[in-house]
Amino acid sequence: IPALYQLHANGFLPANSAIVGVARRDISDDAFRSSMRTSVQEFRKDDFSDEVWNEFAKRLHYVRADFE
């Protein structure tokens, strides 16, 4: 996610692209976004922007799936 955030920040992701997280946990899109924000802030300390994050976060969605 930090690398995708950087691509977005630099204008290299198409405007209509979506990023979908998939896992077994039952969480909301907002909980997923919050978790991903923490990750991005950790790895992009020097160039993290709330404004850029808010636009990037609109692309993030979460789907619960059973892999069995």
Side-chain angles (χ1 to χ4, degrees):
I1 292 294
L4 293 172
Y5 167 85
Q6 192 62 43
L7 288 172
H8 168 81
N10 292 331
F12 292 117
L13 287 181
N16 61 350
S17 63
I19 300 164
V20 181
V22 180
R24 294 180 187 185
R25 293 184 301 156
D26 189 17
I27 63 171
S28 67
D29 283 347
D30 287 336
F32 175 67
R33 289 178 186 123
S34 177
S35 176
M36 296 303 100
R37 180 185 177 112
T38 301
S39 177
V40 170
Q41 285 177 310
E42 179 181 342
F43 289 98
R44 308 307 283 167
K45 293 175 189 169
D46 297 335
D47 58 0
F48 182 83
S49 160
D50 286 326
E51 183 179 335
V52 173
W53 171 260
N54 290 335
E55 287 302 311
F56 177 70
K58 293 175 185 178
R59 299 172 180 261
L60 300 178
H61 305 280
Y62 180 82
V63 175
R64 182 186 181 279
D66 184 355
F67 295 103
E68 292 184 29

